[in-house]
């Protein structure tokens, strides 16, 4: 609740909730009942902002909205792709504006069993005014990881993380408070996660909080949850996050964090196949002299002295280089698939021409014996046509994939170049104006 | 050139160039020769930043880059869609970072004769540091207008303009200087143009400049240009623009502007089917007290007094409402087309089942006379299959179009609501802190 705090009388507290709802109608187990449970929870608990993922049906969003009309009167569903992005936000505070960035890459349309492509995955942004604080809330859901050992979607997820950090970095420059929540489908130390946290200078609520109540190691996909089809390791994995950052005008602390623990009291099944996250954030306005109430400079750990920043620059160079390598691997695969599609298409065309030539001969030789054309002739013709059509569509799709991968790789190359230049010219341990490097969030362009 | 100005000794000048290059290899007239001419021009003239559109081949971009290695050493090509966005930037100043936003809507893939869809149209952003100024340059190309009377792409272009203003507004909050150039495919008073200029608070270089040398009424598509296939009205039309805005830290003036006038001295044909634009901008740092060297407050005409802002809010409400109506018309059409695709698909399926039933009868009646199946049977089967496949793809595509239109409409509804609320509570002609409403650019979220 955005109410004054008795210990920090001028502070304001915010309660943020995030859950991947696993809301595939008719396919997810107990979907309708679970939405009822989720609605009851949200109506009862005094959340300020609720960020949901995998709300695949707008009807479910509308039902929630109706139910939460008095407790969380403002809401937005981010429409995208074929079936919608699944991303939704509910808020106690008026939503001033929303914006959506759809990721360039998001799996393959022919992978019907995975289905990520149809979701048109995106990051949704909502601008809220909480008192005199401008808050930007972001909700996202990145491409699923179907196999940790052979993760063919890794380059797509890395590019999504790259675009996500870019989007947050540039759109949050004027925000006092930034919160990103969602299902990242990445373990805490996975490449995309490091890239996102480091470049956009976001702090992990689970890591920062002094008070945590939830599953072991903060797991949000746990073996104890009976809804899990893909049973995670015994200790569970942490793939859902609440990240945040303040600004030079506002210091932000995560006072406590909790997750659900599989089962729900008085209910036969959990809210979802993921665990829900709740974070309590404390907002302290920074005084004009740049010092907040508790004496810190309000800039978080990443803007304290230039040696720290130099170290962060070096870390960023490593991370972006690693990401670039991953994108290059993806590029190599995409180019291979594009080439295969083109070659198969050409073979289909040759086969079709060959067949037409065979058909033309008896037509020219009018006195040919026996009935023509035969069943096999037409079937072969249809097959050739199907091959041509499919390979043409695949060729188009892979070409677009290649363009997006190349664009990300170009941007990464450029970023590494600029970061290295800054690093070379960095006056080690010189004082420098504190906080100057915070704009546009994290390590932004050189100023 | 970003050199000190003798009249305003502490001012800095920037020369910005924009051209739609009409660079479709083998299709655009004199394509290779025109690129040579464009390259010569850019190498000779002392531009700071060059923003190009319709550079459809990356090979042409690479050739330009090689040629401009000494005069404009930094460049970026924004890759997107199937053939690339066509957008490119060259700069004398190091490009610190680039980012790209691909529009949700951009025509139809089956409109091969128009081809906009394949370009994956987008807005490209480049972050430059010019001295101690952070400059954000944006280049874009919106969907073409093939018929002014019956413009079926209008809702798509309006949504593009909506996304463009959103993108610029939020990503430029920390910039001292913002320049947007490109081929908008909109006349000066067209809805999308008004939306863009008013919401993102951008000033039109042609309107602002005291010194203009170019075609009548600033036309950039003129009848005198022999490359024009679609001859514009006698006076020409203005669809290419250079827009700009400063910030509270930097005042910006357009000192002069010019366009090419069709023919080029010593050459048989013009640079393109569009005219090229050049703007000379003067940058004045605003002193700490918020007053620039020439005594103004550095905020442009849109932040001077609250009555002006109230008027602008009312104007914005009207424009966004108009845009929303246009999007609703597009939504109605898209829903109709989606319904038609579904209905045709069902008919194809019924026809296929009927045919299979006919085929099954003689199979069951083993003693049926005459050879079966016949040519017409297989042709009909292939036709049914083709109908099913095509309508399925169209259905998918229209569903995605509907989602994007709905998302834009939702955002517009929300924006109108917030703007109206601000307008209702607006203290008419009260002094108010000057320039407060500038963040995040133009009329941003309530503060």
């Amino acid at each position: 609740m955005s109410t004054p705090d008795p210990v920090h009388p001028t502070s304001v507290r915010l309660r943020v909730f995030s859950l991947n709802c696993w809301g595939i109608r008719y396919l997810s187990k107990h979907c309708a009942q679970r939405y009822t449970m989720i609605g009851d929870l949200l109506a009862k608990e005094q959340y300020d902002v609720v960020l949901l993922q995998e709300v695949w049906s707008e009807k479910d969003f509308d039902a929630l909205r109706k139910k939460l009309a008095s407790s969380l009167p403002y809401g937005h569903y981010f429409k995208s792709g074929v079936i919608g992005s699944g991303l939704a936000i509910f808020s106690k505070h008026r939503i001033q504006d929303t914006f959506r960035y759809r990721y360039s890459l998001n799996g393959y349309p022919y992978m019907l069993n995975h289905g990520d492509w149809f979701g048109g995955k995106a990051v949704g942004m909502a601008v809220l005014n909480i008192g005199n604080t401008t808050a930007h809330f972001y909700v996202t859901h990145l491409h699923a990881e179907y196999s940790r050992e052979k993760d063919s979607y890794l380059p797509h997820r890395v590019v999504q993380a790259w675009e996500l950090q870019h989007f947050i970095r540039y759109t949050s420059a004027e925000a006092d408070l930034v919160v990103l929540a969602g299902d990242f489908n990445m373990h805490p130390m996975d490449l995309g996660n490091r890239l996102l946290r480091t470049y956009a200078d976001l702090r992990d609520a689970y890591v920062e909080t002094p008070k945590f109540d939830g599953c072991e190691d903060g797991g949000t996909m746990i073996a104890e949850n009976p809804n899990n089809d893909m049973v995670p390791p015994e200790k569970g994995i942490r793939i859902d996050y609440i990240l945040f950052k303040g600004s030079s005008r506002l210091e932000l602390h995560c006072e406590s964090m909790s997750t659900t623990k599989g089962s729900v009291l008085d209910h036969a099944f959990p809210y979802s196949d993921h665990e829900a996250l709740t974070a309590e954030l404390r907002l302290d306005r920074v005084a004009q002299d740049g010092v907040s109430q508790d004496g810190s400079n309000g800039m978080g750990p990443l803007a304290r002295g230039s040696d720290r920043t130099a170290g962060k620059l070096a870390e960023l160079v490593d991370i972006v280089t690693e990401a670039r390598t991953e994108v290059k691997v993806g590029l190599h695969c995409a180019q291979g698939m594009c080439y295969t599609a083109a070659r198969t298409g050409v073979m289909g065309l040759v086969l079709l021409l060959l067949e037409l030539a065979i058909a033309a001969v008896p037509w020219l030789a009018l006195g040919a014996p026996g009935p023509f054309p035969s069943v096999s002739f037409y079937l072969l013709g249809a097959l050739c046509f199907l091959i041509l059509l499919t390979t043409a569509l695949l060729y188009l799709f892979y070409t677009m994939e290649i363009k997006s991968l190349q664009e990300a790789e170009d941007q990464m190359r450029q970023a590494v170049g600029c970061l290295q230049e800054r690093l070379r010219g960095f006056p080690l341990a010189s004082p420098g104006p504190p906080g100057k490097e915070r704009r546009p969030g994290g390590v932004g362009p050189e100023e």
Side-chain angles (χ1 to χ4, degrees), chain A:
Chain A
M1 263 209 325
S2 55
T3 47
D5 177 338
V7 183
H8 300 84
T10 58
S11 297
V12 169
R13 274 184 177 178
L14 271 189
R15 289 194 82 202
V16 181
F17 177 90
S18 173
L19 173 64
N20 176 325
C21 294
W22 192 42
I24 317 167
R25 281 195 164 201
Y26 317 115
L27 282 177
S28 303
K29 273 185 268 181
H30 317 295
C31 192
Q33 297 98 309
R34 288 190 294 103
Y35 268 118
T36 307
M37 288 164 59
I38 293 169
D40 291 341
L41 176 78
L42 299 182
K44 192 184 69 182
E45 297 283 333
Q46 299 283 310
Y47 295 117
D48 286 277
V49 180
V50 167
L51 301 155
L52 303 178
Q53 308 94 51
E54 286 208 25
V55 183
W56 291 124
S57 164
E58 274 179 68
K59 284 181 188 159
D60 292 323
F61 171 78
D62 293 336
L64 278 179
R65 186 152 194 187
K66 213 170 164 183
K67 193 167 186 170
L68 304 173
S70 60
S71 54
L72 294 159
Y74 304 101
H76 185 81
Y77 184 80
F78 294 94
K79 296 175 180 83
S80 177
V82 181
I83 46 173
S85 66
L87 306 172
I89 178 168
F90 287 103
S91 167
K92 218 175 104 175
H93 313 274
R94 178 157 195 155
I95 297 172
Q96 299 290 329
D97 203 4
T98 51
F99 190 28
R100 183 203 63 174
Y101 181 93
R102 190 175 160 186
Y103 300 123
S104 324
L105 292 170
N106 187 33
Y108 305 97
Y110 54 81
M111 294 303 282
L112 295 171
N113 55 328
H114 291 167
D116 293 65
W117 185 84
F118 292 86
K121 294 213 170 133
V123 47
M125 175 179 108
V127 178
L128 271 60
N129 289 338
I130 302 168
N132 55 355
T133 300
T134 303
H136 286 201
F137 282 84
Y138 299 85
V139 56
T140 197
H141 183 195
L142 305 192
H143 198 292
E145 183 188 69
Y146 294 97
S147 161
R148 186 120 186 112
E149 289 69 38
K150 205 180 167 185
D151 181 13
S152 53
Y153 299 109
L154 182 56
H156 284 210
R157 211 179 304 104
V158 169
V159 172
Q160 289 182 341
W162 176 256
E163 291 178 350
L164 179 57
Q165 67 79 14
H166 243 144
F167 184 74
I168 293 178
R169 222 152 37 91
Y170 282 107
T171 57
S172 68
E174 55 105 27
D176 298 314
L177 153 68
V178 172
V179 175
L180 163 67
D183 173 6
F184 298 176
N185 277 308
M186 300 186 291
H187 294 210
M189 289 313 288
D190 279 1
L191 172 61
N193 227 331
R194 284 181 284 134
L195 182 69
L196 180 62
R197 281 197 317 260
T198 315
Y199 221 148
D201 198 11
L202 292 163
R203 292 148 67 195
D204 188 341
Y206 171 73
V207 174
E208 298 265 331
T209 187
K211 194 174 145 195
F212 176 74
D213 175 29
C215 305
E216 198 181 346
D217 291 337
T220 59
M221 282 285 268
I222 56 169
E224 291 83 359
N225 189 318
N227 287 333
N228 264 334
D229 289 332
M230 303 190 315
V231 179
E234 207 184 320
K235 285 178 83 178
I237 51 174
R238 188 158 77 94
I239 58 172
D240 298 80
Y241 300 84
I242 296 179
L243 307 183
F244 64 94
K245 67 173 168 183
S247 69
S248 57
R249 301 171 290 279
L250 191 103
E251 192 173 6
L252 207 53
H253 296 278
C254 180
E255 295 225 314
S256 69
M257 195 181 176
S258 63
T259 70
T260 52
K261 295 169 192 172
S263 59
V264 180
L265 199 69
D266 300 331
H267 286 282
F269 35 81
Y271 294 112
S272 172
D273 59 344
H274 287 241
E275 300 310 315
L277 311 176
T278 304
E280 293 218 7
L281 304 174
R282 197 185 79 227
L283 287 60
D284 293 315
R285 275 262 148 214
V286 175
Q288 289 286 341
D289 58 358
V291 177
S292 73
Q293 295 155 346
D294 65 356
S296 70
N297 71 349
M299 299 303 296
L302 297 165
R304 290 186 195 129
S306 56
D307 52 2
R308 189 68 173 254
T309 313
K312 198 188 161 195
L313 279 176
E315 188 190 350
L316 254 180
V317 169
D318 288 347
I319 296 173
V320 179
T321 306
E322 198 180 334
R324 200 179 154 203
T325 308
E326 204 50 66
V327 171
K328 274 183 186 168
V329 171
L331 200 51
H332 181 75
C333 290
Q335 279 162 339
M337 289 196 286
C338 193
Y339 178 69
T340 304
R343 201 176 42 189
T344 314
V346 168
M347 278 164 62
L349 186 69
V350 168
L351 199 62
L352 190 69
L353 292 175
L354 204 68
E355 200 192 5
L356 289 175
I358 293 165
V361 173
W363 179 78
L364 287 169
L366 283 166
F372 191 81
S374 69
V375 174
S376 54
F377 175 83
Y378 282 103
L379 283 177
L380 191 64
L383 181 71
C384 290
F385 185 76
L386 192 68
I387 289 172
L388 270 177
L389 195 73
T390 314
T391 51
L393 289 174
L394 283 176
Y395 183 81
L396 270 187
F397 184 83
Y398 290 132
T399 310
M400 288 195 279
E401 187 188 4
I402 289 169
K403 292 273 178 221
S404 292
L405 286 164
Q406 282 176 335
E407 176 64 27
E409 206 249 306
D410 281 358
Q411 289 178 8
M412 287 172 183
R413 183 171 33 77
Q414 204 166 49
V416 168
C418 280
L419 289 168
Q420 279 173 332
E421 193 179 76
R422 289 179 64 182
L423 200 57
R424 274 195 296 272
F426 216 96
L428 254 171
S430 80
K436 186 84 165 96
E437 60 279 1
R438 279 287 283 195
R439 286 174 41 234
V443 175
E446 197 176 1
E447 291 194 327

